């Protein structure tokens, strides 16, 4: 089992299974297998096109729904209040569950009515469709605005975060406001496997560079990581990363790596420096 992060608005396993790019039977097997290995946190989204398979994996696992922390997300084209509500309801239908533990705005939309979208998000929580709500891919200025409006009880921020991209302004906001910071692409799409610094630390501990990358993230305050793996071996190794203890020399070596390598930057992405 992964360690648990408890914040004022959330109780969430610090290691979860990301499911981006997993589809159909592969996604169902991945979810069912991960839960069998001890995962209790599954992350999906409407845009991933796999919610039905994720729901089937949850059901086939035999583990009670209330023991699983399930996150899904509403796509940036569906942020008008009625569309946001319809998207969330459709996600829950596909997932075959009456509620998600966390529903996020997946990406901000340029020119979005932030207050209206946050109001619709909060109504999902008030009506029991979401146990908690939050946002994803918000730059610091927009997150600060969203928090300042006080409309939605924002419990979490999900962003790209790994040894090559540490987003301190966002991390500081999360610490200040008690938000969980969920790191997607936490092993930099496995590029850490080719890094001599990461390989050296891994060899010293008898683990893999991917495990070192996850262990480093778990040293950060209020941080949750959702590595994707469809293979039982990879899922097992990712879960085991929580038990790795990096020393001061390891931490210094990782701190010296560049921290500005963004891997996910679609054309609709916000101005990250805003």
């Amino acid at each position: 089992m992964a360690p648990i992060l408890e914040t004022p608005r959330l109780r969430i396993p610090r290691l979860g299974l990301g499911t981006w790019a997993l589809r159909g039977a592969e996604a169902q097997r991945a979810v069912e297998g991960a839960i069998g290995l001890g995962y209790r946190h599954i992350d999906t989204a409407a845009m991933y096109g796999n919610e039905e398979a994720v729901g089937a994996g949850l059901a086939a696992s035999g583990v009670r729904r209330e023991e699983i922390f399930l996150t899904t997300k509403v796509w940036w084209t569906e942020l008008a209040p009625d569309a946001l509500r319809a998207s969330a309801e459709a996600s829950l239908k596909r997932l075959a569950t009456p509620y998600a533990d966390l529903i996020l705005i997946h990406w901000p939309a340029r020119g979005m009515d932030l207050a209206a979208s946050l109001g619709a998000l909060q109504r999902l929580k008030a009506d029991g469709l979401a146990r908690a709500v939050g946002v994803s891919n918000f730059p610091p200025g927009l997150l600060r605005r969203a928090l300042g409006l006080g409309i939605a009880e924002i419990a979490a921020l999900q962003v790209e975060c790994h040894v090559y991209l540490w987003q301190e302004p966002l991390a500081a906001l999360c610490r200040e406001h008690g938000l969980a910071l969920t790191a997607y692409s936490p092993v930099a799409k496995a590029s850490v496997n080719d890094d001599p610094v990461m390989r050296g630390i891994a060899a010293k501990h008898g683990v893999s560079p991917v495990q070192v990358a996850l262990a480093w993230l778990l040293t950060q305050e209020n941080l949750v990581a959702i590595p994707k793996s469809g293979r039982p071996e990879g899922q097992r190794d990712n879960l085991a990363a929580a038990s790795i203890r990096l020393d001061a020399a390891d931490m210094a070596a990782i701190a010296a790596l560049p921290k500005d390598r963004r891997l996910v930057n679609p054309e609709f992405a916000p101005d990250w420096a805003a």
Side-chain angles (χ1 to χ4, degrees):
M1 292 285 188
I4 302 293
L5 171 64
E6 295 199 43
T7 74
R9 291 178 175 163
L10 215 53
R11 187 176 188 276
I12 181 171
R14 295 194 69 196
L15 275 169
L17 179 73
T19 64
W20 159 240
L22 296 175
R23 297 285 190 277
E26 181 190 18
Q28 180 176 340
R29 284 193 303 270
V31 169
E32 184 180 354
I35 293 171
L37 290 172
Y39 283 78
R40 292 296 181 267
H41 174 186
I42 308 295
D43 182 277
T44 185
M47 189 275 290
Y48 295 175
N50 64 11
E51 287 175 314
E52 288 180 341
V54 168
L58 293 173
S61 74
V63 172
R64 292 182 304 161
R65 172 66 186 88
E66 55 267 31
E67 294 182 29
I68 306 295
F69 190 100
L70 176 63
T71 299
T72 193
K73 313 177 194 79
V74 174
W75 194 233
W76 66 272
T77 58
E78 308 298 319
L79 299 186
D82 288 349
L84 189 151
R85 178 72 175 221
S87 176
E89 289 177 346
S91 285
L92 296 179
K93 184 176 181 180
R94 288 189 292 267
L95 289 160
T97 181
Y99 70 94
D101 295 275
L102 180 62
I103 294 181
L104 305 175
I105 290 174
H106 201 156
W107 289 84
R110 292 169 190 157
M112 68 186 288
D113 185 335
L114 182 61
S117 296
L118 292 175
L121 198 64
Q122 183 63 18
R123 283 190 288 278
L124 297 179
K125 183 176 187 294
D127 294 343
L129 279 67
R131 295 283 174 88
V133 295
V135 297
S136 181
N137 296 303
F138 274 39
L142 188 59
L143 178 60
R144 193 176 290 109
R145 276 183 57 207
L147 291 166
L149 286 171
I151 293 170
E153 297 171 5
I154 297 172
L157 168 72
Q158 186 175 131
V159 289
E160 179 185 350
C161 195
H162 43 73
V163 295
Y164 307 122
L165 183 65
W166 178 245
Q167 308 209 52
E168 179 53 32
L170 287 172
L173 274 170
C174 289
R175 292 192 297 267
E176 178 185 350
H177 293 275
L179 274 61
L181 175 60
T182 302
Y184 72 73
S185 297
V187 299
K189 299 187 177 181
S191 62
V192 293
N193 284 326
D194 301 320
D195 188 308
V197 171
M198 297 296 287
R199 288 168 67 94
I201 296 169
K204 177 174 131 181
H205 291 275
V207 298
S208 71
V210 161
Q211 288 176 301
V212 171
L214 292 173
W216 178 79
L217 282 173
L218 294 178
T219 67
Q220 310 301 325
E221 186 178 349
N222 278 22
L223 194 133
V224 173
I226 48 169
K228 184 204 78 174
S229 179
R231 299 178 303 107
E233 305 80 24
Q235 293 176 354
R236 192 177 292 110
D237 287 349
N238 290 344
L239 203 57
S243 63
I244 298 169
R245 297 293 174 261
L246 301 176
D247 61 29
D250 304 329
M251 295 296 289
I254 294 172
L257 294 172
K259 293 289 181 285
D260 58 356
R261 292 183 182 171
R262 190 179 299 280
L263 303 177
V264 181
N265 196 23
E267 60 86 22
F268 54 79
D271 175 0
W272 297 111

